[in-house]
Amino acid sequence: MALLLYDNYARSLRPFVPLHAGAAVGLYTCGPTVYDYQHIGNYRTFLFEDLLKRVLQWNGHRVRHVMNITDVGHLTSDADTGEDKMEKGARRTGRSAWEIAALYTQAFVDDCAALGILPPDVLSRATEHIAEQIAFIADLEQRGYTYRTSDGIYFDTSRQADYGYLARLDRGGLEAGKRVDVGEKRNATDFALWKFSPPDSTRQMEWASPWGMGFPGWHIECSAMAQHYLGDFFDIHCGGEDHIPVHHTNEIAQTEARVGTRLANFWMHGYFLLASDAKMAKSAGEFLRIGALVDRGYDPLAFRYLCLTGHYRTQLNFTWEALDAASTGLARMRSGFHALPTDASAVADDGLLERFTAHVNDDLNAPRALALAWEALRGDLAPAVKRATLARLDDVFGLGLATWEPADEPVPAAVEALASARADARKARDWAEADRLRAALHDAGYDVEDKAGGYAVKRRPS
Ligand code: AMP
Ligand code: ZN
């Protein structure tokens, strides 16, 4: 069954065929800018990318996944103005830019683990690939695509007739409507490849280059690292929908200028998570991070479940009610799965696996796939077959069904009182009363086990 993926470059669904038969699928996903914690919106995009990777694996592909860490060069405005977010973050926290990069990279890795996101094969820091970025810019310069202003080296987008094709940018309109803020740039869409350190101060992160002390632009980082690890033209490049008009547009422009390809065969984007129908932005001050969900008693995987309930190509509105519903869904799925018997000889149901493949291969339709999992759980397959089937589906969902164990919940006081009264009845050899109390415990959903010197009360699996 063909795997159909929506390619934003073509603006259509296309059957996915690896560029190099037999080799691993090359996947590059834009990683976090580590000047602060990531918010739950960012994680929706990382979860979409994890789903994509798992569906590729479901289809029998090996995946070589590269993700960058943007630890320098992402300015507060995508239009190459404003401050480097890292230097600003350093000031905000009173730590060095290098310290916050390490701190928030680790926080990101930890959150991803809590969300069941498979780690990439390569996690590449922009600051560790400055040489590749300088070599890239030097090539662009040699090919005549760059010019110098007082604050940096810029890419001249007027050199490319199809600049902005990914975003279907109306360049004429952009130029006509441009306001004064272009500074020394020749065209509104031109962007910085290398920014000079300010002459009057020393940056925490800066490097020598053929053009002077400075730091790379955010877009060149991704193009250079993607090409370095995955080659001139690889299978899939992903990011959030906000990357379409600027970041990915510019990654493509640079790569076309250097090697004549659009860098990746498929360009896929996760659509935004909104909070109260507004964009969720770190710059807006307060934002929700995974730790805040945990503080409120939610399992991070409930957020993963919530993300599975919406298609990645539609925006999803975050509400606490929606997260509550996802928590309940996850809890029911876990306990339903847990109650199913394990039987090593049981195999997954072929018909169901086939229907599941049809859903996930239809541009990662997770909501339909999830509905099918519920149908399987509630349906009339043999219990051990249900378990074997759901365990397979969970390779894609990543909800950790097979490893989940019910927590030892505290026994309610009323139940504890019944158990203790039963122990007293036994001591008094009042067997009839002891049996009556055992039945009352059973009705309350608990079993009691007598042990040397006492008893243990346990919740019966639901
Ligand atoms: P950043 O740390 O800003 O570089 O963003 C990391 C990733 O999160 C990028 O792929 C962004 O496109 C994505 N992103 C940013 N905001 C949201 C949001 N509200 N919902 C979903 N993805 C987002
Ligand atoms: Zn990127």
Side-chain angles (χ1 to χ4, degrees):
M1 204 175 307
L3 166 60
L4 289 178
L5 297 175
Y6 190 85
D7 171 21
N8 255 319
Y9 195 86
R11 294 285 160 102
S12 65
L13 287 170
R14 293 173 54 209
F16 176 75
V17 181
L19 289 170
H20 309 287
V25 169
L27 172 68
Y28 186 92
T29 60
C30 286
T33 308
V34 287
Y35 68 105
D36 204 333
Y37 293 102
Q38 292 282 290
H39 57 58
I40 59 173
N42 301 130
Y43 286 111
R44 182 182 189 213
T45 291
F46 298 123
L47 284 164
F48 138 65
E49 293 158 349
D50 190 55
L51 175 68
L52 168 65
K53 184 167 158 184
R54 287 167 181 268
V55 169
L56 288 165
Q57 291 171 341
W58 177 264
N59 281 274
H61 301 298
R62 276 182 306 120
V63 179
R64 177 161 161 80
H65 178 195
V66 179
M67 182 192 276
N68 67 294
I69 295 286
T70 303
D71 52 1
V72 67
H74 195 164
L75 302 184
T76 47
S77 149
D78 274 357
D80 292 312
T81 52
E83 219 181 330
D84 184 332
K85 291 185 181 187
M86 295 302 297
E87 305 262 334
K88 192 174 171 194
R91 261 212 328 280
R92 188 192 75 236
T93 55
R95 302 184 193 217
S96 79
W98 295 99
E99 279 169 342
I100 63 164
L103 173 76
Y104 295 122
T105 300
Q106 190 55 50
F108 170 70
V109 169
D110 293 345
D111 280 348
C112 285
L115 288 166
I117 293 176
L118 303 171
D121 299 287
V122 179
L123 191 63
S124 64
R125 289 170 179 74
T127 51
E128 290 172 1
H129 297 80
I130 301 292
E132 287 87 343
Q133 297 158 44
I134 290 177
F136 202 130
I137 303 169
D139 265 5
L140 296 178
E141 183 177 46
Q142 213 214 334
R143 288 164 185 273
Y145 282 92
T146 66
Y147 62 91
R148 189 183 187 106
T149 72
S150 59
D151 76 359
I153 303 295
Y154 281 78
F155 186 95
D156 183 353
T157 55
S158 69
R159 290 283 319 276
Q160 286 174 325
D162 64 347
Y163 173 84
Y165 181 77
L166 172 72
R168 308 298 192 261
L169 286 185
D170 169 16
R171 298 181 61 198
L174 277 176
E175 287 302 321
K178 81 182 172 198
R179 294 187 212 120
V180 229
D181 213 9
V182 186
E184 296 170 54
K185 288 203 296 190
R186 294 181 188 163
N187 311 286
T189 45
D190 292 357
F191 56 91
L193 297 163
W194 187 262
K195 291 276 264 191
F196 302 137
S197 296
D200 47 349
S201 61
T202 311
R203 279 175 50 92
Q204 295 185 32
M205 292 175 155
E206 59 178 7
W207 294 265
S209 81
W211 313 281
M213 271 319 244
F215 60 101
W218 172 39
H219 319 306
I220 199 76
E221 297 175 2
C222 279
S223 295
M225 289 189 281
Q227 225 182 69
H228 175 69
Y229 286 106
L230 297 170
D232 293 351
F233 190 54
F234 58 88
D235 293 286
I236 309 177
H237 194 312
C238 301
E241 59 170 314
D242 57 325
H243 286 174
I244 300 170
V246 181
H247 184 50
H248 288 173
T249 287
N250 293 344
E251 277 193 52
I252 291 172
Q254 296 164 145
T255 312
E256 273 180 353
R258 188 189 202 190
V259 292
T261 72
R262 61 173 191 276
L263 188 58
N265 190 16
F266 281 73
W267 286 85
M268 297 178 65
H269 299 93
Y271 284 69
F272 266 19
L273 182 74
L274 310 177
S276 311
D277 292 320
K279 190 177 150 197
M280 189 170 309
K282 277 177 262 190
S283 52
E286 201 158 309
F287 62 89
L288 274 177
R289 53 192 182 92
I290 298 298
L293 306 189
V294 174
D295 289 347
R296 291 193 186 209
Y298 291 97
D299 185 324
L301 291 177
F303 181 69
R304 184 177 181 106
Y305 186 102
L306 174 64
C307 290
L308 289 170
T309 64
H311 191 270
Y312 79 92
R313 248 172 353 99
T314 52
Q315 294 186 328
L316 183 67
N317 196 30
F318 177 83
T319 62
W320 293 105
E321 292 72 30
L323 188 60
D324 285 339
S327 289
T328 306
L330 177 63
R332 290 203 179 127
M333 190 170 274
R334 279 170 161 169
S335 54
F337 181 88
H338 193 74
L340 296 169
T342 322
D343 175 353
S345 65
V347 290
D349 182 75
D350 275 340
L352 226 129
L353 295 184
E354 217 169 281
R355 289 170 64 202
F356 180 79
T357 305
H359 292 323
V360 294
N361 281 11
D362 179 15
D363 195 27
L364 321 180
N365 198 328
R368 300 273 296 277
L370 202 56
L372 184 67
W374 278 109
E375 194 186 313
L377 193 59
R378 293 183 173 138
D380 50 14
L381 290 173
V385 173
K386 273 187 195 176
R387 188 182 175 104
T389 308
L390 285 164
R392 289 282 306 279
L393 306 195
D394 200 36
D395 288 343
V396 171
F397 295 135
L399 295 170
L401 295 180
T403 50
W404 177 79
E405 287 291 338
D408 286 333
E409 297 159 37
V411 175
V415 171
E416 188 51 50
L418 285 173
S420 141
R422 177 177 167 276
D424 291 345
R426 279 169 61 85
K427 248 187 235 151
R429 301 184 168 269
D430 184 350
W431 307 120
E433 178 64 357
D435 282 351
R436 190 189 68 76
L437 289 163
R438 175 189 281 280
L441 280 164
H442 184 93
D443 291 345
Y446 286 82
D447 284 331
V448 61
E449 222 175 87
D450 297 305
K451 297 185 162 181
Y455 58 88
V457 187
K458 276 208 182 128
R459 193 169 177 82
R460 273 202 322 282
S462 49

